[in-house]
Amino acid sequence: IATNRALTLFIAFAVLALAAMAVGLYRFIGAPLRAVSESLRSEDPRPLGTLLKAKHEFGHLARLMRQVSFCKR
């Protein structure tokens, strides 16, 4: 009985950990990457929105894109 309970707890923890990783990947990588991609595709800086104020790599990339790509217009 103790072994079954431990196995059940392990599986529950593994499922929760995988769900947390999936949400984290979407929030911190997928959404910013989608905004950068949409901005490049449409040649419009508006999709970058909040990324321009962010202090992480995607924010830096968004600011560079705004300077380089959209200043040529």
Side-chain angles (χ1 to χ4, degrees):
I1 292 178
T3 305
N4 287 341
R5 182 178 170 112
L7 182 61
T8 301
L9 287 174
F10 176 75
I11 290 173
F13 175 76
V15 168
L16 287 174
L18 287 173
M21 285 175 37
V23 168
L25 282 172
Y26 174 78
R27 173 136 171 26
F28 296 111
I29 295 175
L33 194 56
R34 189 171 292 111
V36 167
S37 177
E38 175 62 23
S39 180
L40 287 171
R41 185 189 62 73
S42 65
E43 296 182 3
D44 182 10
R46 284 180 288 179
L48 298 176
T50 58
L51 284 178
L52 293 170
K53 297 174 188 167
K55 297 185 184 204
H56 49 63
E57 288 81 5
F58 283 115
H60 183 68
L61 179 61
R63 288 185 295 279
L64 285 173
M65 286 172 55
R66 183 183 61 187
Q67 278 182 320
V68 176
S69 298
F70 304 116
C71 286
K72 293 181 180 177
R73 296 178 156 215

